[in-house]
Amino acid sequence: MPQDPPPIDEIRIQSRKLVRALGFMGGPFAGTDLPPSSVHALIEIEATPDLTAVRLCERLQLDKSSVSRLLGKLVQSGDVIDVRDAGDARVKRLTLTAQGRRRVAAIHDFARRQVGAALDRLPPQHHRTVLDGLKLYAGALAPGVDDAAPPIEIVAGYRPGLIADMTGMHIDYYARTAGFGRAFEAVVAGGLADFCSRLDHPDNEVWTVVSAGRILGSIAIDGQDLARVQGAPVAHLRWFILDDRLRGSGLGRRLMAQALAFVDIRDFARTDLWTFDGLSAARHLYEAHGFALAEQRPGDQWGREVLEQRFTRPGPGAAPRA
C-alpha cells in the first residue's frame, strides 16, 4: 500500500507560525529590546561558566564577526564581561555581570510564562507530545550538531599512550603560552613515567578526558611524592590540562571534582598544587574549589624563570593512618 507523502509544506507553514509567535520577525523578543541572537548568547553564557567566544560561535552557529559584534554590544550595555585568558591572549572568557544575570532571569521568567500559557491551552496529555515532537524535529533539522560528535567521557586509570599524550598536550600548550621547551618536556615526561609506575598504590589515580580514543584532557592525584603531615599523606594535584577546544565546556570543573572527590574519600591531610603566576583562569578555578595561595617564589625548574606558586586546599581530616 503506498505511503502518504511527507507533509513538507504543512510543516513549513507551522514553522513560520512558530517563528512569528516567538517574535523572531522583529519587535520585542523574550520581553527584551535585544535581538534573538543576543538573547541566546546571554542564556549560553549563563549556562556555561568560563564560556569562550569561540565556543559561543559554535553554540549559536554564527560566524566569528557576527558574534564579535553582538558581544561588543552586550559588553557596552553592561551585561557581559569579556576577559582575555592570561595564558592565551587569543582566548576570551565570557561572564555575566550582575545586570546581565538580572536580565537573563527576566528572560527565563518571560519564556516560562509564555510556554506555560501555551500549554494551558492544551489538554495535559498533549504536553509530552509537544516536547517529543520538538525534540525530534530540532534534532532532524540540525543533524550532526550534537549527536554526530564523538562522545566525550572522563575515564579513570591508565590507558595505553597516556604518558605520550599527556606530555604532548602539556608541551604544546605551554610552548605556545609560556615559552617552555625541552627542559619542561623532560620534567613532565619523567614525572609521568615515575607516577605511572606507582599507579597501583591506592593513594594515586589519574583521570583523562577521552573522545574517539584520543586523550583531550587530564588530571592526577599523586599521594606519595609530598611529605606527610602528622602521619597523613598530602595529595599532590598534577598534570591538569584541557584541550583548547574544550575550554569553557565545563569539563575542567568535572575533572577537578573527580580528583577532589577522590582526595576527600582517601582522607588526605591537604591537597597541594604547583603552578606559576599569570594563569588567571586556572587560578580562578582553583580558588572556586577551595584552594588558596600558600607561597610563591622564583623558580626555573621548567626551563625559564617564573614566579612559582603553591596553592593548597585543606583536607576533611588529618588523622594518622596505617
Side-chain angles (χ1 to χ4, degrees):
M1 182 175 179
Q3 293 182 336
D4 293 333
I8 292 174
D9 287 334
E10 290 87 345
I11 290 175
R12 291 180 60 219
I13 290 170
Q14 298 308 315
S15 295
R16 290 197 296 274
K17 286 183 180 179
L18 189 63
V19 167
R20 290 194 293 269
L22 290 174
F24 281 94
M25 298 303 293
F29 181 74
T32 75
D33 57 354
L34 298 172
S37 57
S38 295
V39 170
H40 282 267
L42 289 172
I43 292 172
E44 292 294 339
I45 295 169
E46 180 210 32
T48 308
D50 293 328
L51 182 69
T52 65
V54 172
R55 292 282 293 177
L56 184 61
C57 291
E58 297 170 358
R59 298 275 181 88
L60 300 182
Q61 298 181 51
L62 294 174
D63 60 79
K64 293 166 77 172
S65 60
S66 297
V67 170
S68 179
R69 285 194 296 272
L70 76 84
L71 283 176
K73 292 178 180 178
L74 291 174
V75 170
Q76 188 175 18
S77 68
D79 292 305
V80 171
I81 299 172
D82 63 338
V83 179
R84 291 198 179 276
D85 191 318
D88 189 345
R90 299 170 301 172
V91 176
K92 279 189 176 181
R93 300 195 176 276
L94 310 172
T95 307
L96 293 180
T97 63
Q99 173 183 305
R101 290 193 294 271
R102 290 193 296 270
R103 191 192 283 265
V104 172
I107 290 169
H108 287 317
D109 182 62
F110 177 92
R112 291 188 182 103
R113 286 187 281 108
Q114 187 181 40
V115 172
L119 292 178
D120 285 344
R121 301 186 189 105
L122 298 172
Q125 63 268 27
H126 289 174
H127 294 179
R128 178 57 60 173
T129 302
V130 172
L131 174 61
D132 291 342
L134 284 170
K135 288 170 67 176
L136 284 170
Y137 189 43
L141 277 175
V145 172
D146 297 312
D147 298 334
I152 297 175
E153 57 183 338
I154 295 177
V155 180
Y158 174 81
R159 55 188 297 113
L162 181 146
I163 296 173
D165 288 350
M166 288 173 63
T167 300
M169 288 189 66
H170 278 76
I171 190 60
D172 176 69
Y173 180 75
Y174 287 104
R176 287 188 286 109
T177 61
F180 293 166
R182 181 178 61 186
F184 175 73
E185 185 171 358
V187 169
V188 173
L192 277 166
D194 171 68
F195 174 71
C196 285
S197 72
R198 300 184 279 107
L199 260 177
D200 290 336
H201 192 282
D203 282 345
N204 299 332
E205 188 56 280
V206 61
W207 297 262
T208 49
V209 177
V210 180
S211 179
R214 293 183 57 215
I215 292 178
L216 301 176
S218 66
I219 197 168
I221 294 294
D222 188 337
Q224 292 182 283
D225 72 328
L226 296 181
R228 299 170 75 89
V229 174
Q230 296 180 344
V234 174
H236 188 183
L237 190 148
R238 310 179 75 179
W239 304 298
F240 179 38
I241 196 165
L242 198 62
D243 187 278
D244 288 347
R245 293 165 294 179
L246 299 181
R247 296 181 189 278
S249 67
L251 280 163
R253 293 173 183 271
R254 288 176 55 192
L255 278 173
M256 184 69 71
Q258 289 264 22
L260 295 180
F262 173 83
V263 164
D264 291 342
I265 289 171
R266 294 298 302 161
D267 198 26
F268 285 93
R270 68 171 193 259
T271 305
D272 286 357
L273 66 87
W274 282 94
T275 182
F276 58 93
D277 185 43
L279 303 179
S280 57
R283 176 170 181 165
H284 176 74
L285 183 61
Y286 301 148
E287 291 175 338
H289 283 83
F291 285 90
L293 180 63
E295 64 174 299
Q296 55 185 2
R297 63 187 184 221
D300 59 1
Q301 63 166 321
W302 292 317
R304 71 174 184 85
E305 185 169 295
V306 294
L307 184 61
E308 296 181 356
Q309 297 176 321
R310 179 173 65 87
F311 285 79
T312 190
R313 171 185 181 266
R321 301 189 310 174

